[in-house]
mmCIF file with all atom_site columns, all heavy atoms in Angstrom:
data_model
loop_
_atom_site.group_PDB
_atom_site.id
_atom_site.type_symbol
_atom_site.label_atom_id
_atom_site.label_alt_id
_atom_site.label_comp_id
_atom_site.label_asym_id
_atom_site.label_entity_id
_atom_site.label_seq_id
_atom_site.pdbx_PDB_ins_code
_atom_site.Cartn_x
_atom_site.Cartn_y
_atom_site.Cartn_z
_atom_site.occupancy
_atom_site.B_iso_or_equiv
_atom_site.pdbx_formal_charge
_atom_site.auth_seq_id
_atom_site.auth_comp_id
_atom_site.auth_asym_id
_atom_site.auth_atom_id
_atom_site.pdbx_PDB_model_num
ATOM 1   N N   . GLY W 1 31  ? 144.311 63.296 152.608 1.00 0.00 ? 31  GLY W N   1
ATOM 2   C CA  . GLY W 1 31  ? 145.653 62.723 152.227 1.00 0.00 ? 31  GLY W CA  1
ATOM 3   C C   . GLY W 1 31  ? 146.825 63.336 153.051 1.00 0.00 ? 31  GLY W C   1
ATOM 4   O O   . GLY W 1 31  ? 147.967 62.986 152.923 1.00 0.00 ? 31  GLY W O   1
ATOM 5   N N   . GLY W 1 32  ? 146.476 64.363 153.898 1.00 0.00 ? 32  GLY W N   1
ATOM 6   C CA  . GLY W 1 32  ? 147.538 65.128 154.577 1.00 0.00 ? 32  GLY W CA  1
ATOM 7   C C   . GLY W 1 32  ? 147.807 66.420 153.995 1.00 0.00 ? 32  GLY W C   1
ATOM 8   O O   . GLY W 1 32  ? 147.880 67.439 154.690 1.00 0.00 ? 32  GLY W O   1
ATOM 9   N N   . TYR W 1 33  ? 147.810 66.475 152.631 1.00 0.00 ? 33  TYR W N   1
ATOM 10  C CA  . TYR W 1 33  ? 148.133 67.718 151.939 1.00 0.00 ? 33  TYR W CA  1
ATOM 11  C C   . TYR W 1 33  ? 146.862 68.460 151.446 1.00 0.00 ? 33  TYR W C   1
ATOM 12  O O   . TYR W 1 33  ? 147.000 69.660 151.206 1.00 0.00 ? 33  TYR W O   1
ATOM 13  C CB  . TYR W 1 33  ? 149.047 67.398 150.701 1.00 0.00 ? 33  TYR W CB  1
ATOM 14  C CG  . TYR W 1 33  ? 148.655 66.149 150.037 1.00 0.00 ? 33  TYR W CG  1
ATOM 15  C CD1 . TYR W 1 33  ? 147.696 66.139 149.087 1.00 0.00 ? 33  TYR W CD1 1
ATOM 16  C CD2 . TYR W 1 33  ? 149.205 64.914 150.349 1.00 0.00 ? 33  TYR W CD2 1
ATOM 17  C CE1 . TYR W 1 33  ? 147.292 64.967 148.417 1.00 0.00 ? 33  TYR W CE1 1
ATOM 18  C CE2 . TYR W 1 33  ? 148.831 63.703 149.780 1.00 0.00 ? 33  TYR W CE2 1
ATOM 19  C CZ  . TYR W 1 33  ? 147.862 63.719 148.752 1.00 0.00 ? 33  TYR W CZ  1
ATOM 20  O OH  . TYR W 1 33  ? 147.418 62.590 148.226 1.00 0.00 ? 33  TYR W OH  1
ATOM 21  N N   . ALA W 1 37  ? 146.296 71.366 147.640 1.00 0.00 ? 37  ALA W N   1
ATOM 22  C CA  . ALA W 1 37  ? 147.631 71.388 147.167 1.00 0.00 ? 37  ALA W CA  1
ATOM 23  C C   . ALA W 1 37  ? 147.665 71.398 145.662 1.00 0.00 ? 37  ALA W C   1
ATOM 24  O O   . ALA W 1 37  ? 148.481 72.147 145.094 1.00 0.00 ? 37  ALA W O   1
ATOM 25  C CB  . ALA W 1 37  ? 148.423 70.121 147.656 1.00 0.00 ? 37  ALA W CB  1
ATOM 26  N N   . CYS W 1 38  ? 146.830 70.702 145.007 1.00 0.00 ? 38  CYS W N   1
ATOM 27  C CA  . CYS W 1 38  ? 146.746 70.697 143.520 1.00 0.00 ? 38  CYS W CA  1
ATOM 28  C C   . CYS W 1 38  ? 145.730 71.542 142.865 1.00 0.00 ? 38  CYS W C   1
ATOM 29  O O   . CYS W 1 38  ? 145.802 71.793 141.716 1.00 0.00 ? 38  CYS W O   1
ATOM 30  C CB  . CYS W 1 38  ? 146.540 69.229 143.033 1.00 0.00 ? 38  CYS W CB  1
ATOM 31  S SG  . CYS W 1 38  ? 147.959 68.143 143.315 1.00 0.00 ? 38  CYS W SG  1
ATOM 32  N N   . ASN W 1 48  ? 147.920 75.888 139.898 1.00 0.00 ? 48  ASN W N   1
ATOM 33  C CA  . ASN W 1 48  ? 148.328 74.579 140.177 1.00 0.00 ? 48  ASN W CA  1
ATOM 34  C C   . ASN W 1 48  ? 147.925 73.590 139.164 1.00 0.00 ? 48  ASN W C   1
ATOM 35  O O   . ASN W 1 48  ? 147.007 73.809 138.436 1.00 0.00 ? 48  ASN W O   1
ATOM 36  C CB  . ASN W 1 48  ? 147.901 74.134 141.609 1.00 0.00 ? 48  ASN W CB  1
ATOM 37  C CG  . ASN W 1 48  ? 148.569 74.991 142.681 1.00 0.00 ? 48  ASN W CG  1
ATOM 38  O OD1 . ASN W 1 48  ? 149.719 75.022 142.869 1.00 0.00 ? 48  ASN W OD1 1
ATOM 39  N ND2 . ASN W 1 48  ? 147.687 75.741 143.374 1.00 0.00 ? 48  ASN W ND2 1
ATOM 40  N N   . VAL W 1 49  ? 148.695 72.373 139.237 1.00 0.00 ? 49  VAL W N   1
ATOM 41  C CA  . VAL W 1 49  ? 148.439 71.403 138.131 1.00 0.00 ? 49  VAL W CA  1
ATOM 42  C C   . VAL W 1 49  ? 146.999 70.902 137.998 1.00 0.00 ? 49  VAL W C   1
ATOM 43  O O   . VAL W 1 49  ? 146.597 70.567 136.940 1.00 0.00 ? 49  VAL W O   1
ATOM 44  C CB  . VAL W 1 49  ? 149.473 70.276 138.426 1.00 0.00 ? 49  VAL W CB  1
ATOM 45  C CG1 . VAL W 1 49  ? 149.141 69.481 139.640 1.00 0.00 ? 49  VAL W CG1 1
ATOM 46  C CG2 . VAL W 1 49  ? 149.513 69.391 137.219 1.00 0.00 ? 49  VAL W CG2 1
ATOM 47  N N   . LEU W 1 73  ? 146.057 56.681 144.551 1.00 0.00 ? 73  LEU W N   1
ATOM 48  C CA  . LEU W 1 73  ? 146.296 56.226 145.969 1.00 0.00 ? 73  LEU W CA  1
ATOM 49  C C   . LEU W 1 73  ? 145.329 57.007 146.855 1.00 0.00 ? 73  LEU W C   1
ATOM 50  O O   . LEU W 1 73  ? 144.769 56.455 147.791 1.00 0.00 ? 73  LEU W O   1
ATOM 51  C CB  . LEU W 1 73  ? 147.726 56.436 146.427 1.00 0.00 ? 73  LEU W CB  1
ATOM 52  C CG  . LEU W 1 73  ? 148.733 55.548 145.711 1.00 0.00 ? 73  LEU W CG  1
ATOM 53  C CD1 . LEU W 1 73  ? 150.120 55.922 146.075 1.00 0.00 ? 73  LEU W CD1 1
ATOM 54  C CD2 . LEU W 1 73  ? 148.500 54.060 146.178 1.00 0.00 ? 73  LEU W CD2 1
ATOM 55  N N   . LEU W 1 74  ? 145.107 58.327 146.617 1.00 0.00 ? 74  LEU W N   1
ATOM 56  C CA  . LEU W 1 74  ? 144.221 59.144 147.393 1.00 0.00 ? 74  LEU W CA  1
ATOM 57  C C   . LEU W 1 74  ? 142.812 58.615 147.213 1.00 0.00 ? 74  LEU W C   1
ATOM 58  O O   . LEU W 1 74  ? 142.115 58.574 148.257 1.00 0.00 ? 74  LEU W O   1
ATOM 59  C CB  . LEU W 1 74  ? 144.305 60.649 146.973 1.00 0.00 ? 74  LEU W CB  1
ATOM 60  C CG  . LEU W 1 74  ? 143.419 61.612 147.698 1.00 0.00 ? 74  LEU W CG  1
ATOM 61  C CD1 . LEU W 1 74  ? 143.808 61.614 149.251 1.00 0.00 ? 74  LEU W CD1 1
ATOM 62  C CD2 . LEU W 1 74  ? 143.496 63.017 147.143 1.00 0.00 ? 74  LEU W CD2 1
ATOM 63  N N   . SER W 1 77  ? 141.886 55.831 149.436 1.00 0.00 ? 77  SER W N   1
ATOM 64  C CA  . SER W 1 77  ? 142.002 56.154 150.880 1.00 0.00 ? 77  SER W CA  1
ATOM 65  C C   . SER W 1 77  ? 140.659 56.805 151.374 1.00 0.00 ? 77  SER W C   1
ATOM 66  O O   . SER W 1 77  ? 140.407 56.984 152.610 1.00 0.00 ? 77  SER W O   1
ATOM 67  C CB  . SER W 1 77  ? 143.157 56.977 151.248 1.00 0.00 ? 77  SER W CB  1
ATOM 68  O OG  . SER W 1 77  ? 142.980 58.370 150.838 1.00 0.00 ? 77  SER W OG  1
ATOM 69  N N   . ALA W 1 127 ? 150.722 87.955 145.309 1.00 0.00 ? 127 ALA W N   1
ATOM 70  C CA  . ALA W 1 127 ? 151.868 87.250 144.827 1.00 0.00 ? 127 ALA W CA  1
ATOM 71  C C   . ALA W 1 127 ? 153.194 87.936 145.238 1.00 0.00 ? 127 ALA W C   1
ATOM 72  O O   . ALA W 1 127 ? 154.267 87.479 144.907 1.00 0.00 ? 127 ALA W O   1
ATOM 73  C CB  . ALA W 1 127 ? 151.888 87.178 143.336 1.00 0.00 ? 127 ALA W CB  1
ATOM 74  N N   . LEU W 1 129 ? 156.080 89.201 147.888 1.00 0.00 ? 129 LEU W N   1
ATOM 75  C CA  . LEU W 1 129 ? 156.691 88.541 149.057 1.00 0.00 ? 129 LEU W CA  1
ATOM 76  C C   . LEU W 1 129 ? 156.699 89.423 150.358 1.00 0.00 ? 129 LEU W C   1
ATOM 77  O O   . LEU W 1 129 ? 157.521 89.222 151.250 1.00 0.00 ? 129 LEU W O   1
ATOM 78  C CB  . LEU W 1 129 ? 158.190 88.161 148.653 1.00 0.00 ? 129 LEU W CB  1
ATOM 79  C CG  . LEU W 1 129 ? 158.215 87.262 147.427 1.00 0.00 ? 129 LEU W CG  1
ATOM 80  C CD1 . LEU W 1 129 ? 159.622 86.865 147.070 1.00 0.00 ? 129 LEU W CD1 1
ATOM 81  C CD2 . LEU W 1 129 ? 157.326 85.988 147.619 1.00 0.00 ? 129 LEU W CD2 1
ATOM 82  N N   . ALA W 1 149 ? 152.212 87.804 152.910 1.00 0.00 ? 149 ALA W N   1
ATOM 83  C CA  . ALA W 1 149 ? 153.006 87.531 151.725 1.00 0.00 ? 149 ALA W CA  1
ATOM 84  C C   . ALA W 1 149 ? 152.613 86.218 151.051 1.00 0.00 ? 149 ALA W C   1
ATOM 85  O O   . ALA W 1 149 ? 152.472 85.229 151.761 1.00 0.00 ? 149 ALA W O   1
ATOM 86  C CB  . ALA W 1 149 ? 154.527 87.619 152.118 1.00 0.00 ? 149 ALA W CB  1
ATOM 87  N N   . TYR W 1 150 ? 152.499 86.238 149.789 1.00 0.00 ? 150 TYR W N   1
ATOM 88  C CA  . TYR W 1 150 ? 152.295 84.994 149.019 1.00 0.00 ? 150 TYR W CA  1
ATOM 89  C C   . TYR W 1 150 ? 151.077 84.155 149.562 1.00 0.00 ? 150 TYR W C   1
ATOM 90  O O   . TYR W 1 150 ? 151.129 83.000 149.685 1.00 0.00 ? 150 TYR W O   1
ATOM 91  C CB  . TYR W 1 150 ? 153.534 84.148 148.992 1.00 0.00 ? 150 TYR W CB  1
ATOM 92  C CG  . TYR W 1 150 ? 153.654 83.507 147.563 1.00 0.00 ? 150 TYR W CG  1
ATOM 93  C CD1 . TYR W 1 150 ? 154.110 84.214 146.501 1.00 0.00 ? 150 TYR W CD1 1
ATOM 94  C CD2 . TYR W 1 150 ? 153.400 82.137 147.395 1.00 0.00 ? 150 TYR W CD2 1
ATOM 95  C CE1 . TYR W 1 150 ? 154.240 83.656 145.244 1.00 0.00 ? 150 TYR W CE1 1
ATOM 96  C CE2 . TYR W 1 150 ? 153.542 81.551 146.208 1.00 0.00 ? 150 TYR W CE2 1
ATOM 97  C CZ  . TYR W 1 150 ? 153.954 82.263 145.128 1.00 0.00 ? 150 TYR W CZ  1
ATOM 98  O OH  . TYR W 1 150 ? 153.987 81.615 143.845 1.00 0.00 ? 150 TYR W OH  1
ATOM 99  N N   . SER W 1 151 ? 150.004 84.913 149.919 1.00 0.00 ? 151 SER W N   1
ATOM 100 C CA  . SER W 1 151 ? 148.793 84.287 150.460 1.00 0.00 ? 151 SER W CA  1
ATOM 101 C C   . SER W 1 151 ? 147.599 84.679 149.694 1.00 0.00 ? 151 SER W C   1
ATOM 102 O O   . SER W 1 151 ? 147.546 85.764 149.020 1.00 0.00 ? 151 SER W O   1
ATOM 103 C CB  . SER W 1 151 ? 148.679 84.612 151.930 1.00 0.00 ? 151 SER W CB  1
ATOM 104 O OG  . SER W 1 151 ? 149.702 84.136 152.722 1.00 0.00 ? 151 SER W OG  1
ATOM 105 N N   . SER B 2 30  ? 153.146 62.051 152.322 1.00 0.00 ? 30  SER B N   1
ATOM 106 C CA  . SER B 2 30  ? 151.877 61.279 152.536 1.00 0.00 ? 30  SER B CA  1
ATOM 107 C C   . SER B 2 30  ? 151.976 59.979 151.815 1.00 0.00 ? 30  SER B C   1
ATOM 108 O O   . SER B 2 30  ? 152.444 60.012 150.671 1.00 0.00 ? 30  SER B O   1
ATOM 109 C CB  . SER B 2 30  ? 150.693 62.052 152.215 1.00 0.00 ? 30  SER B CB  1
ATOM 110 O OG  . SER B 2 30  ? 149.576 61.134 152.125 1.00 0.00 ? 30  SER B OG  1
ATOM 111 N N   . PRO B 2 31  ? 151.460 58.842 152.386 1.00 0.00 ? 31  PRO B N   1
ATOM 112 C CA  . PRO B 2 31  ? 151.467 57.588 151.596 1.00 0.00 ? 31  PRO B CA  1
ATOM 113 C C   . PRO B 2 31  ? 150.581 57.667 150.421 1.00 0.00 ? 31  PRO B C   1
ATOM 114 O O   . PRO B 2 31  ? 150.739 56.819 149.476 1.00 0.00 ? 31  PRO B O   1
ATOM 115 C CB  . PRO B 2 31  ? 151.001 56.558 152.653 1.00 0.00 ? 31  PRO B CB  1
ATOM 116 C CG  . PRO B 2 31  ? 150.229 57.326 153.765 1.00 0.00 ? 31  PRO B CG  1
ATOM 117 C CD  . PRO B 2 31  ? 150.921 58.717 153.738 1.00 0.00 ? 31  PRO B CD  1
ATOM 118 N N   . THR B 2 32  ? 149.659 58.634 150.319 1.00 0.00 ? 32  THR B N   1
ATOM 119 C CA  . THR B 2 32  ? 148.726 58.630 149.137 1.00 0.00 ? 32  THR B CA  1
ATOM 120 C C   . THR B 2 32  ? 149.237 59.569 148.025 1.00 0.00 ? 32  THR B C   1
ATOM 121 O O   . THR B 2 32  ? 148.548 59.624 147.012 1.00 0.00 ? 32  THR B O   1
ATOM 122 C CB  . THR B 2 32  ? 147.314 59.100 149.632 1.00 0.00 ? 32  THR B CB  1
ATOM 123 O OG1 . THR B 2 32  ? 147.440 60.470 150.128 1.00 0.00 ? 32  THR B OG1 1
ATOM 124 C CG2 . THR B 2 32  ? 146.763 58.107 150.667 1.00 0.00 ? 32  THR B CG2 1
ATOM 125 N N   . CYS B 2 33  ? 150.320 60.244 148.165 1.00 0.00 ? 33  CYS B N   1
ATOM 126 C CA  . CYS B 2 33  ? 150.719 61.212 147.194 1.00 0.00 ? 33  CYS B CA  1
ATOM 127 C C   . CYS B 2 33  ? 151.791 60.539 146.177 1.00 0.00 ? 33  CYS B C   1
ATOM 128 O O   . CYS B 2 33  ? 152.739 59.918 146.568 1.00 0.00 ? 33  CYS B O   1
ATOM 129 C CB  . CYS B 2 33  ? 151.363 62.385 147.793 1.00 0.00 ? 33  CYS B CB  1
ATOM 130 S SG  . CYS B 2 33  ? 151.771 63.637 146.531 1.00 0.00 ? 33  CYS B SG  1
ATOM 131 N N   . GLN B 2 56  ? 150.524 60.885 157.269 1.00 0.00 ? 56  GLN B N   1
ATOM 132 C CA  . GLN B 2 56  ? 149.610 61.839 156.569 1.00 0.00 ? 56  GLN B CA  1
ATOM 133 C C   . GLN B 2 56  ? 150.014 63.314 156.894 1.00 0.00 ? 56  GLN B C   1
ATOM 134 O O   . GLN B 2 56  ? 150.003 64.132 156.031 1.00 0.00 ? 56  GLN B O   1
ATOM 135 C CB  . GLN B 2 56  ? 148.238 61.519 156.984 1.00 0.00 ? 56  GLN B CB  1
ATOM 136 C CG  . GLN B 2 56  ? 147.589 60.465 156.210 1.00 0.00 ? 56  GLN B CG  1
ATOM 137 C CD  . GLN B 2 56  ? 146.138 60.799 155.891 1.00 0.00 ? 56  GLN B CD  1
ATOM 138 O OE1 . GLN B 2 56  ? 145.507 61.679 156.445 1.00 0.00 ? 56  GLN B OE1 1
ATOM 139 N NE2 . GLN B 2 56  ? 145.552 60.121 154.875 1.00 0.00 ? 56  GLN B NE2 1
ATOM 140 N N   . GLN B 2 70  ? 151.836 79.309 154.278 1.00 0.00 ? 70  GLN B N   1
ATOM 141 C CA  . GLN B 2 70  ? 151.346 79.542 152.954 1.00 0.00 ? 70  GLN B CA  1
ATOM 142 C C   . GLN B 2 70  ? 152.268 78.975 151.887 1.00 0.00 ? 70  GLN B C   1
ATOM 143 O O   . GLN B 2 70  ? 151.922 79.077 150.664 1.00 0.00 ? 70  GLN B O   1
ATOM 144 C CB  . GLN B 2 70  ? 151.172 81.101 152.725 1.00 0.00 ? 70  GLN B CB  1
ATOM 145 C CG  . GLN B 2 70  ? 152.376 81.958 152.764 1.00 0.00 ? 70  GLN B CG  1
ATOM 146 C CD  . GLN B 2 70  ? 152.805 82.509 154.066 1.00 0.00 ? 70  GLN B CD  1
ATOM 147 O OE1 . GLN B 2 70  ? 152.552 81.870 155.071 1.00 0.00 ? 70  GLN B OE1 1
ATOM 148 N NE2 . GLN B 2 70  ? 153.249 83.765 154.102 1.00 0.00 ? 70  GLN B NE2 1
ATOM 149 N N   . PRO B 2 110 ? 155.891 76.550 146.387 1.00 0.00 ? 110 PRO B N   1
ATOM 150 C CA  . PRO B 2 110 ? 154.555 76.366 146.976 1.00 0.00 ? 110 PRO B CA  1
ATOM 151 C C   . PRO B 2 110 ? 153.542 75.729 146.053 1.00 0.00 ? 110 PRO B C   1
ATOM 152 O O   . PRO B 2 110 ? 153.660 75.981 144.818 1.00 0.00 ? 110 PRO B O   1
ATOM 153 C CB  . PRO B 2 110 ? 154.112 77.811 147.306 1.00 0.00 ? 110 PRO B CB  1
ATOM 154 C CG  . PRO B 2 110 ? 155.392 78.599 147.278 1.00 0.00 ? 110 PRO B CG  1
ATOM 155 C CD  . PRO B 2 110 ? 156.328 77.928 146.311 1.00 0.00 ? 110 PRO B CD  1
ATOM 156 N N   . GLY B 2 111 ? 152.614 75.058 146.622 1.00 0.00 ? 111 GLY B N   1
ATOM 157 C CA  . GLY B 2 111 ? 151.506 74.410 145.874 1.00 0.00 ? 111 GLY B CA  1
ATOM 158 C C   . GLY B 2 111 ? 152.093 73.301 144.925 1.00 0.00 ? 111 GLY B C   1
ATOM 159 O O   . GLY B 2 111 ? 152.997 72.517 145.382 1.00 0.00 ? 111 GLY B O   1
ATOM 160 N N   . MET B 2 112 ? 151.516 73.149 143.823 1.00 0.00 ? 112 MET B N   1
ATOM 161 C CA  . MET B 2 112 ? 151.902 72.069 142.846 1.00 0.00 ? 112 MET B CA  1
ATOM 162 C C   . MET B 2 112 ? 151.975 72.546 141.454 1.00 0.00 ? 112 MET B C   1
ATOM 163 O O   . MET B 2 112 ? 151.147 72.302 140.605 1.00 0.00 ? 112 MET B O   1
ATOM 164 C CB  . MET B 2 112 ? 150.703 71.004 142.900 1.00 0.00 ? 112 MET B CB  1
ATOM 165 C CG  . MET B 2 112 ? 151.190 69.581 142.636 1.00 0.00 ? 112 MET B CG  1
ATOM 166 S SD  . MET B 2 112 ? 152.059 68.881 143.988 1.00 0.00 ? 112 MET B SD  1
ATOM 167 C CE  . MET B 2 112 ? 150.860 68.608 145.176 1.00 0.00 ? 112 MET B CE  1
ATOM 168 N N   . GLN B 2 114 ? 152.862 72.990 137.750 1.00 0.00 ? 114 GLN B N   1
ATOM 169 C CA  . GLN B 2 114 ? 152.697 71.920 136.692 1.00 0.00 ? 114 GLN B CA  1
ATOM 170 C C   . GLN B 2 114 ? 154.088 71.657 136.094 1.00 0.00 ? 114 GLN B C   1
ATOM 171 O O   . GLN B 2 114 ? 154.367 70.504 135.618 1.00 0.00 ? 114 GLN B O   1
ATOM 172 C CB  . GLN B 2 114 ? 151.640 72.469 135.654 1.00 0.00 ? 114 GLN B CB  1
ATOM 173 C CG  . GLN B 2 114 ? 151.417 71.433 134.566 1.00 0.00 ? 114 GLN B CG  1
ATOM 174 C CD  . GLN B 2 114 ? 150.232 71.785 133.764 1.00 0.00 ? 114 GLN B CD  1
ATOM 175 O OE1 . GLN B 2 114 ? 149.662 72.872 133.971 1.00 0.00 ? 114 GLN B OE1 1
ATOM 176 N NE2 . GLN B 2 114 ? 149.750 70.931 132.878 1.00 0.00 ? 114 GLN B NE2 1
ATOM 177 N N   . MET B 2 119 ? 156.708 66.935 138.467 1.00 0.00 ? 119 MET B N   1
ATOM 178 C CA  . MET B 2 119 ? 155.367 67.315 137.859 1.00 0.00 ? 119 MET B CA  1
ATOM 179 C C   . MET B 2 119 ? 155.407 67.408 136.339 1.00 0.00 ? 119 MET B C   1
ATOM 180 O O   . MET B 2 119 ? 154.575 67.005 135.620 1.00 0.00 ? 119 MET B O   1
ATOM 181 C CB  . MET B 2 119 ? 154.772 68.616 138.463 1.00 0.00 ? 119 MET B CB  1
ATOM 182 C CG  . MET B 2 119 ? 154.560 68.567 139.963 1.00 0.00 ? 119 MET B CG  1
ATOM 183 S SD  . MET B 2 119 ? 153.417 67.242 140.501 1.00 0.00 ? 119 MET B SD  1
ATOM 184 C CE  . MET B 2 119 ? 151.967 67.777 139.816 1.00 0.00 ? 119 MET B CE  1
ATOM 185 N N   . LYS B 2 130 ? 157.872 79.925 141.196 1.00 0.00 ? 130 LYS B N   1
ATOM 186 C CA  . LYS B 2 130 ? 158.934 80.535 141.919 1.00 0.00 ? 130 LYS B CA  1
ATOM 187 C C   . LYS B 2 130 ? 159.478 79.591 142.986 1.00 0.00 ? 130 LYS B C   1
ATOM 188 O O   . LYS B 2 130 ? 158.673 78.780 143.544 1.00 0.00 ? 130 LYS B O   1
ATOM 189 C CB  . LYS B 2 130 ? 158.352 81.680 142.633 1.00 0.00 ? 130 LYS B CB  1
ATOM 190 C CG  . LYS B 2 130 ? 157.933 82.921 141.779 1.00 0.00 ? 130 LYS B CG  1
ATOM 191 C CD  . LYS B 2 130 ? 157.286 83.966 142.547 1.00 0.00 ? 130 LYS B CD  1
ATOM 192 C CE  . LYS B 2 130 ? 156.786 85.111 141.590 1.00 0.00 ? 130 LYS B CE  1
ATOM 193 N NZ  . LYS B 2 130 ? 155.923 86.084 142.308 1.00 0.00 ? 130 LYS B NZ  1
ATOM 194 N N   . ILE B 2 132 ? 160.900 79.981 146.568 1.00 0.00 ? 132 ILE B N   1
ATOM 195 C CA  . ILE B 2 132 ? 160.867 81.086 147.555 1.00 0.00 ? 132 ILE B CA  1
ATOM 196 C C   . ILE B 2 132 ? 161.729 80.687 148.819 1.00 0.00 ? 132 ILE B C   1
ATOM 197 O O   . ILE B 2 132 ? 161.554 79.560 149.316 1.00 0.00 ? 132 ILE B O   1
ATOM 198 C CB  . ILE B 2 132 ? 159.496 81.430 147.937 1.00 0.00 ? 132 ILE B CB  1
ATOM 199 C CG1 . ILE B 2 132 ? 158.764 82.003 146.746 1.00 0.00 ? 132 ILE B CG1 1
ATOM 200 C CG2 . ILE B 2 132 ? 159.434 82.423 149.138 1.00 0.00 ? 132 ILE B CG2 1
ATOM 201 C CD1 . ILE B 2 132 ? 157.279 82.218 146.934 1.00 0.00 ? 132 ILE B CD1 1
ATOM 202 N N   . LEU B 2 140 ? 160.035 86.270 153.471 1.00 0.00 ? 140 LEU B N   1
ATOM 203 C CA  . LEU B 2 140 ? 160.243 85.591 152.296 1.00 0.00 ? 140 LEU B CA  1
ATOM 204 C C   . LEU B 2 140 ? 161.083 86.358 151.268 1.00 0.00 ? 140 LEU B C   1
ATOM 205 O O   . LEU B 2 140 ? 161.107 87.599 151.326 1.00 0.00 ? 140 LEU B O   1
ATOM 206 C CB  . LEU B 2 140 ? 158.861 85.318 151.583 1.00 0.00 ? 140 LEU B CB  1
ATOM 207 C CG  . LEU B 2 140 ? 157.697 84.718 152.477 1.00 0.00 ? 140 LEU B CG  1
ATOM 208 C CD1 . LEU B 2 140 ? 156.511 84.486 151.592 1.00 0.00 ? 140 LEU B CD1 1
ATOM 209 C CD2 . LEU B 2 140 ? 158.157 83.481 153.118 1.00 0.00 ? 140 LEU B CD2 1
ATOM 210 N N   . SER B 2 141 ? 161.762 85.635 150.443 1.00 0.00 ? 141 SER B N   1
ATOM 211 C CA  . SER B 2 141 ? 162.572 86.266 149.346 1.00 0.00 ? 141 SER B CA  1
ATOM 212 C C   . SER B 2 141 ? 162.546 85.381 148.120 1.00 0.00 ? 141 SER B C   1
ATOM 213 O O   . SER B 2 141 ? 162.469 84.115 148.271 1.00 0.00 ? 141 SER B O   1
ATOM 214 C CB  . SER B 2 141 ? 163.991 86.553 149.804 1.00 0.00 ? 141 SER B CB  1
ATOM 215 O OG  . SER B 2 141 ? 164.601 85.426 150.246 1.00 0.00 ? 141 SER B OG  1
ATOM 216 N N   . LEU B 2 142 ? 162.735 85.956 147.005 1.00 0.00 ? 142 LEU B N   1
ATOM 217 C CA  . LEU B 2 142 ? 162.727 85.195 145.766 1.00 0.00 ? 142 LEU B CA  1
ATOM 218 C C   . LEU B 2 142 ? 164.087 84.538 145.594 1.00 0.00 ? 142 LEU B C   1
ATOM 219 O O   . LEU B 2 142 ? 165.117 85.211 145.591 1.00 0.00 ? 142 LEU B O   1
ATOM 220 C CB  . LEU B 2 142 ? 162.421 86.105 144.563 1.00 0.00 ? 142 LEU B CB  1
ATOM 221 C CG  . LEU B 2 142 ? 162.315 85.347 143.224 1.00 0.00 ? 142 LEU B CG  1
ATOM 222 C CD1 . LEU B 2 142 ? 161.167 84.371 143.130 1.00 0.00 ? 142 LEU B CD1 1
ATOM 223 C CD2 . LEU B 2 142 ? 162.130 86.322 142.073 1.00 0.00 ? 142 LEU B CD2 1
#
Side-chain angles (χ1 to χ4, degrees):
Chain W
Y33 38 87
C38 288
N48 293 297
V49 67
L73 290 171
L74 179 62
S77 75
L129 301 182
Y150 217 75
S151 293
Chain B
S30 164
T32 62
C33 187
Q56 276 222 342
Q70 67 267 38
M112 206 71 71
Q114 185 166 6
M119 299 301 295
K130 292 173 180 168
I132 295 174
L140 311 184
S141 59
L142 182 64

